[in-house]
């Protein structure tokens, strides 16, 4: 017992020394311009993983002032993007310990980091942020540039939509009575002229500046609405527009400048109306003789259901002919109408039969691959008591991952039983690396392949993966170990790290109290 206590004291002493060393190097690596430490240099000097350095960092011993950024607008875009990138290293929801590591890495108060990250995953428009965006817009800054300065929103469209909705809802007092502003025909014609001359690539700012100078007596909101609804009315192409442009093309030819001038639109829009009218004509013109023949054949097939021409039975010759006809076309453009005519069956029956034949062929090939891979693995294991997956891959002509997924031979696979006293995380880390390399999120993990790679029973691999995620099974032995370590004065967090790298201290505490 005294020997165990001495070992724990020695381990705690080493941890204190490492904590002091990490804190000292972090203070030396502090960058006053960026307001945070250069943790890369600390990691290189100590040759210790970044997360362990952050965990050992003691803010109470540090002379570096912690930044306070309580508002979203206080964050610089670079700091915000760095926070977003760093938080992605943590799976799932951030725990209290994860938040402390983020705070140490960013040198920002923990509550402020949580606030900024919540804006990152669920951005919300606040009064301060709205005022900041308004100041940017007053400086004629584009929405794309504003989005780079406010990177929490998924896209420029999302930012503009949330900003517009927020501005519409916020009011300093009771809403004033709505005053309807009337626009004369001459004023409306001038608005259209402004749009034709100054609107390009979706930019309404130039139009707005000209309209404000031309209509100083109109309210700003009324001018903005007039521009918006006038432009939106132009964007819709009606049948009347297509008929008019066809008549003008017959008179002037495809002189889009002249046609657009007569229609009161830009040359580009006149050509766009013409193009859509041609598509509309192509879509609504009469049936060709070829199409009519196919239509009559389909109607005849439907009307003769139950006859030999449309019977559900497929002979082997018919199946072979169907497969041959399909191979004559590009898989993305199969002419089912022609195939249907050749086989004298309706289109739906041909498609259904082809899917069934393709599925049968794929299942047969998978079974053949599984037999070949299993035979090669059995030969390897019998001769060497080990499996060289590179050799198996070359011998059967499949990739290593396909071999791992197809193998069904499992003689001699080891069992994995968790023991908190003797368990080493080397095997678990090896399995984790294999899963992250071959089945990155969101791909589902194929535990048959994991079992073959580790040569451990599949159920035990699933249990090991759950333990790595912090899903502990509280057996009597594990609970006894927790009680023993608590009796030695060890903290819940230290016990959790010893049992599983992703186990939280709260779960250990809950299990301990249910036992005692």
């Amino acid at each position: 017992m005294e020997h165990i206590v001495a070992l724990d004291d020695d381990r705690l002493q080493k941890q204190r020394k490492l904590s002091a060393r990490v804190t000292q190097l972090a203070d030396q690596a502090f960058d006053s311009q960026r307001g945070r430490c250069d943790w890369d240099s600390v990691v290189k000097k100590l040759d210790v993983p970044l997360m362990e350095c952050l965990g050992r960092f003691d803010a109470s011993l540090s002379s570096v002032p912690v930044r306070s950024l309580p508002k979203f607008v206080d964050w610089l875009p670079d700091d915000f993007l760095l926070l977003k990138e760093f938080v992605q290293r943590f799976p799932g929801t951030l725990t209290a310990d994860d938040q402390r590591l983020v705070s140490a890495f960013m040198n920002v108060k923990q509550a402020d980091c949580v606030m900024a990250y919540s804006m990152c995953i669920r951005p919300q428009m606040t009064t301060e942020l709205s005022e900041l965006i308004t100041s940017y817009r007053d400086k004629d800054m584009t929405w794309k540039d504003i989005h780079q300065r406010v990177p929490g929103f998924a896209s420029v469209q999302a930012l503009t939509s949330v900003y517009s909705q927020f501005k519409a809802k916020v009011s300093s007092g009771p809403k004033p009575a709505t005053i309807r502003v009337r626009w004369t025909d001459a004023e409306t014609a001038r608005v259209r002229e402004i749009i034709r001359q100054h609107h390009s690539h979706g930019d309404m700012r130039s139009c707005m500046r000209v309209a404000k100078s031309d209509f100083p007596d109109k309210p700003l909101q009324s001018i903005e609405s007039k521009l918006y609804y006038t432009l939106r009315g132009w964007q819709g192409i009606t049948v009347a527009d297509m008929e008019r442009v066809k008549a003008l093309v017959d008179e002037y030819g495809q002189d889009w400048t002249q046609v657009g001038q007569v229609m009161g639109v830009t040359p580009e829009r006149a050509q766009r109306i013409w193009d859509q009218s041609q598509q509309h004509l192509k879509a609504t013109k009469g049936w060709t003789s070829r199409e009519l023949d196919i239509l009559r054949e389909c109607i005849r097939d439907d009307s003769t259901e139950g006859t030999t021409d449309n019977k559900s039975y497929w002979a082997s010759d018919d199946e072979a002919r169907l497969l041959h006809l399909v191979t004559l076309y590009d898989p993305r453009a199969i002419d089912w109408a022609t195939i249907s005519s050749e086989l004298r069956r309706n289109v739906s029956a041909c498609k259904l039969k082809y899917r069934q034949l393709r599925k049968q062929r794929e299942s047969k090939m998978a079974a053949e691959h599984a037999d070949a891979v299993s035979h090669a693995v059995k030969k390897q294991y019998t001769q060497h008591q080990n499996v060289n997956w590179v050799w198996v891959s070359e011998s059967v002509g499949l990739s290593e991952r396909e071999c791992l997924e197809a193998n069904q031979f499992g003689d001699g696979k080891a069992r994995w039983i968790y023991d908190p006293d003797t368990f080493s995380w080397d095997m678990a880390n090896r399995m984790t690396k294999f899963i992250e390399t071959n089945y990155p999120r969101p791909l589902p993990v194929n535990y048959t392949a994991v079992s073959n790679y580790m040569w451990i029973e599949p159920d035990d691999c699933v249990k090991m993966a759950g333990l790595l995620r912090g899903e502990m099974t509280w057996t009597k032995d594990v609970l006894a170990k927790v009680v023993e370590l608590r009796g030695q004065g060890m903290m819940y967090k230290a016990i959790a790290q010893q049992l599983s790298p992703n186990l939280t201290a709260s779960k250990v505490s809950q299990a301990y109290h249910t036992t005692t």
Side-chain angles (χ1 to χ4, degrees):
M1 184 66 182
E2 294 178 356
H3 176 67
I4 295 176
V5 173
L7 290 176
D8 288 341
D9 291 341
D10 182 60
R11 179 174 53 81
L12 293 174
Q13 186 66 21
K14 290 181 180 179
Q15 291 178 357
R16 294 191 189 99
K17 290 182 179 180
L18 179 60
S19 178
R21 180 62 175 158
V22 168
T23 305
Q24 179 185 6
L25 291 176
D27 290 353
Q28 296 175 0
F30 177 70
D31 188 344
S32 58
Q33 293 183 350
R34 296 190 299 174
R36 54 186 178 82
C37 302
D38 183 6
W39 284 102
D40 291 337
S41 63
V42 177
V43 170
K44 290 180 181 179
K45 291 180 180 179
L46 292 176
D47 194 19
V48 175
L50 174 61
M51 292 302 177
E52 185 173 354
C53 289
L54 294 173
R56 299 299 179 191
F57 177 74
D58 190 348
S60 62
L61 301 177
S62 175
S63 60
V64 175
V66 181
R67 293 185 292 174
S68 176
L69 305 174
K71 297 180 180 180
F72 181 76
V73 295
D74 296 334
W75 287 72
L76 296 175
D78 292 341
D79 284 342
F80 187 86
L81 294 175
L82 182 64
L83 170 69
K84 186 177 179 180
E85 180 182 354
F86 181 72
V87 171
Q88 290 177 350
R89 303 186 183 192
F90 301 95
T93 306
L94 289 179
T95 63
D97 293 335
D98 297 339
Q99 295 173 11
R100 186 178 65 83
L101 298 181
V102 174
S103 174
F105 180 77
M106 298 298 302
N107 191 35
V108 179
K109 290 183 177 180
Q110 183 171 325
D112 298 344
C113 290
V114 174
M115 177 277 301
Y117 181 63
S118 65
M119 285 289 293
C120 171
I121 58 177
R122 289 184 296 274
Q124 298 177 355
M125 185 64 61
T126 62
T127 303
E128 295 83 0
L129 185 57
S130 174
E131 293 175 353
L132 179 64
I133 295 176
T134 302
S135 66
Y136 289 153
R137 292 294 294 168
D138 292 341
K139 298 176 183 177
D140 292 336
M141 189 178 295
T142 64
W143 280 108
K144 183 178 180 180
D145 293 337
I146 296 176
H147 181 254
Q148 292 178 352
R149 294 172 178 260
V150 189
F153 294 85
S155 62
V156 176
Q157 291 77 11
L159 175 62
T160 56
S161 176
V162 174
Y163 173 74
S164 302
Q165 294 175 9
F166 183 84
K167 294 289 287 184
K169 290 181 180 179
V170 174
S171 59
S172 57
K175 294 184 179 179
T178 303
I179 301 177
R180 182 166 182 174
V181 179
R182 295 186 177 276
W183 291 78
T184 64
D185 294 340
E187 291 173 336
T188 301
R190 176 55 184 159
V191 169
R192 292 174 178 169
E193 184 179 355
I194 291 172
I195 294 176
R196 281 197 302 269
Q197 294 176 354
H198 301 281
H199 180 266
S200 63
H201 306 293
D203 184 11
M204 289 289 291
R205 290 178 299 161
S206 300
C207 298
M208 193 66 186
R209 282 197 296 267
V210 176
K212 284 194 294 185
S213 62
D214 284 9
F215 305 106
D217 57 328
K218 301 285 186 182
L220 187 62
Q221 184 178 3
S222 178
I223 296 175
E224 186 174 359
S225 300
K226 185 65 176 178
L227 287 170
Y228 170 75
Y229 286 110
T230 302
L231 180 63
R232 192 178 73 170
W234 280 9
Q235 289 175 345
I237 298 177
T238 63
V239 176
D241 294 333
M242 292 187 285
E243 292 177 352
R244 187 180 182 192
V245 79
K246 285 163 58 180
L248 291 174
V249 168
D250 292 340
E251 181 177 355
Y252 299 105
Q254 295 187 6
D255 184 356
W256 303 120
T257 303
Q258 181 68 25
V259 173
Q261 184 176 1
V262 175
M263 293 187 66
V265 298
T266 62
E268 293 79 8
R269 180 167 177 79
Q271 185 175 2
R272 189 159 56 247
I273 297 174
W274 168 257
D275 293 339
Q276 184 162 335
S277 69
Q278 296 304 300
Q279 295 177 2
H280 180 75
L281 178 63
K282 183 178 180 180
T284 57
K285 65 182 182 179
W287 294 77
T288 65
S289 58
R290 165 74 173 163
E291 292 170 339
L292 289 173
D293 290 340
I294 295 174
L295 181 61
R296 293 190 187 98
E297 185 69 19
C298 293
I299 295 174
R300 186 187 65 79
D301 286 344
D302 288 339
S303 63
T304 58
E305 184 174 0
T307 66
T308 56
D309 287 341
N310 199 38
K311 58 188 178 183
S312 59
Y313 172 76
W314 285 74
S316 58
D317 293 342
D318 295 336
E319 295 176 349
R321 193 179 178 197
L322 171 63
L323 293 174
H324 172 70
L325 291 173
V326 171
T327 58
L328 300 179
Y329 298 94
D330 187 303
R332 296 167 296 181
I334 299 175
D335 188 354
W336 289 106
T338 301
I339 295 175
S340 169
S341 177
E342 291 288 338
L343 296 176
R344 302 181 62 82
R345 296 175 184 267
N346 60 43
V347 173
S348 60
C350 294
K351 289 183 177 180
L352 177 61
K353 189 61 180 180
Y354 177 69
R355 285 197 295 267
Q356 293 174 351
L357 294 175
R358 187 178 60 182
K359 187 174 181 180
Q360 292 174 3
R361 183 172 55 182
E362 292 175 351
S363 300
K364 183 178 179 181
M365 291 178 62
E368 292 175 353
H369 289 162
D371 292 340
V373 171
S374 300
H375 178 73
V377 172
K378 182 179 180 180
K379 181 179 179 181
Q380 274 276 302
Y381 187 80
T382 304
Q383 293 178 355
H384 308 288
Q385 296 298 306
N386 194 9
V387 180
N388 184 346
W389 290 104
V390 176
W391 180 88
V392 173
S393 172
E394 294 175 352
S395 63
V396 299
L398 299 175
S399 66
E400 291 186 41
R401 174 174 163 180
E402 290 174 331
C403 293
L404 288 167
E405 293 177 348
N407 175 50
Q408 298 177 355
F409 176 78
D411 291 356
K413 284 188 177 181
R415 293 298 309 275
W416 179 84
I417 300 175
Y418 175 71
D419 187 345
D421 292 322
T422 62
F423 179 67
S424 172
W425 288 105
D426 294 339
M427 184 181 298
N429 292 334
R430 179 168 169 255
M431 184 184 73
T432 301
K433 184 177 180 180
F434 174 79
I435 292 176
E436 292 176 350
T437 303
N438 293 277
Y439 303 100
R441 294 182 179 180
L443 293 179
V445 179
N446 188 320
Y447 281 101
T448 299
V450 176
S451 171
N452 289 324
Y453 176 76
M454 302 293 296
W455 211 249
I456 294 175
E457 293 293 336
D459 292 342
D460 294 339
C461 290
V462 174
K463 292 179 182 177
M464 187 189 301
L467 184 62
L468 289 172
R469 294 192 298 267
E471 300 172 1
M472 175 64 68
T473 302
W474 299 101
T475 62
K476 293 182 179 179
D477 294 338
V478 176
L479 292 174
K481 185 65 176 179
V482 173
V483 174
E484 177 187 348
L485 295 177
R486 281 296 294 170
Q488 298 174 10
M490 188 178 292
M491 302 296 291
Y492 289 121
K493 181 180 178 180
I495 297 174
Q497 292 178 348
Q498 183 169 337
L499 295 177
S500 172
N502 291 316
L503 187 62
T504 61
S506 60
K507 291 184 178 180
V508 177
S509 174
Q510 183 179 1
Y512 174 78
H513 288 296
T514 56
T515 305
T516 57

